[in-house]
Amino acid sequence: MDHVISGVAKFQKEVYPNKKAKFQKLANGQNPEVLFITCSDSRIDPNLVTQTDPGELFICRNAGNIVPPHSNQTGGMTASIEFAVAALGVSHIVVCGHTDCGAMKGAINPAGLDSLPHVKEWLGHCRVATEVVKERCGHSELSIDDLEAVTKENVVQQIQHLRTHPAVAAKIATGQVKLHGWVYNIGSGEVLYYNTESGEFDVMDESTAEAQLARAE
């Protein structure tokens, strides 16, 4: 904890003064372009990966980068999505999964979560992903060998869940919001994006940026 506290002092002394004008502008409001939904995993830093500054991403994090389907029961994710889209007017939503995801390991083996009942219930929102992978692979049960496939399919299914949210559906219908699915590789730094034309995940780089935007849903 000592390095966390000393980090605050370093920020105030070295970082803030160099970006004082930006922070003072942000003090009066925000205008992010992107709602970035990712996992709570400590190894992921959305601003670092995307090289963005404060104010550019509206970030929502939870175990498994999950978007519960819309219902009449209010939850933190539902409220945050509605606020980002309807109030802040974001024009892009990214769902970003990652390699070695503990939540996806839990989704593969829900029986191992009996001592974590709330986690087990939460990961029920990943069941479609696990069932799709079982069907595709012809497996009755999943194993750690299926982790990559489940991680990717979970991103695709959470994008589907986003479409059930009224604020999102309305903006998609009028072309004001586009949806993006990413998977971040912690070890290599590589980011894959979901190609809606091929149904596969392709490597993201500068040469594919334009194509990715064109193929966003």
Side-chain angles (χ1 to χ4, degrees):
M1 188 64 187
D2 288 347
H3 73 285
V4 175
I5 295 172
S6 62
V8 173
K10 182 177 181 180
F11 165 77
Q12 294 170 338
K13 183 179 179 180
E14 300 178 17
V15 178
Y16 177 84
N18 293 329
K19 296 188 176 184
K20 184 176 180 179
K22 178 180 285 289
F23 284 117
Q24 289 182 335
K25 182 179 179 181
L26 289 172
N28 297 313
Q30 61 174 321
N31 185 32
E33 181 185 9
V34 179
L35 166 58
F36 198 94
I37 300 170
T38 193
C39 189
S40 299
D41 194 294
S42 62
R43 297 168 291 179
I44 301 172
D45 184 334
N47 293 112
L48 184 63
V49 172
T50 62
Q51 289 295 283
T52 48
D53 285 331
E56 295 186 58
L57 302 180
F58 188 84
I59 301 171
C60 292
R61 305 184 68 154
N62 64 63
N65 38 272
I66 287 170
V67 177
H70 183 266
S71 70
N72 291 328
Q73 182 176 355
T74 299
M77 282 301 297
T78 301
S80 295
I81 291 166
E82 183 178 74
F83 180 73
V85 174
L88 295 179
V90 299
S91 51
H92 296 274
I93 304 176
V94 175
V95 177
C96 183
H98 67 94
T99 55
D100 195 46
C101 181
M104 294 305 97
K105 292 176 183 177
I108 287 172
N109 180 30
L113 297 173
D114 289 344
S115 63
L116 301 170
H118 294 292
V119 174
K120 186 173 184 177
E121 182 178 359
W122 177 250
L123 294 181
H125 294 300
C126 304
R127 185 181 172 189
V128 173
T130 57
E131 292 299 321
V132 167
V133 173
K134 285 180 185 178
E135 189 69 21
R136 281 190 184 141
C137 299
H139 296 170
S140 58
E141 299 293 336
L142 298 178
S143 72
I144 196 66
D145 293 335
D146 299 301
L147 181 59
E148 180 181 354
V150 171
T151 298
K152 290 178 178 178
E153 188 60 36
N154 182 62
V155 168
V156 174
Q157 295 305 324
Q158 301 313 317
I159 289 175
Q160 294 294 83
H161 291 174
L162 271 170
R163 293 177 173 279
T164 68
H165 290 251
V168 177
K171 297 297 184 181
I172 290 174
T174 54
Q176 296 178 72
V177 162
K178 290 189 175 182
L179 307 181
H180 308 263
W182 294 3
V183 173
Y184 167 57
N185 188 309
I186 296 171
S188 70
E190 184 178 71
V191 176
L192 305 178
Y193 76 94
Y194 182 62
N195 184 329
T196 56
E197 291 184 359
S198 67
E200 302 291 338
F201 279 82
D202 296 333
V203 176
M204 183 191 305
D205 55 34
E206 289 185 8
S207 66
T208 62
E210 186 174 341
Q212 183 203 349
L213 288 172
R215 292 168 182 161
E217 298 181 88

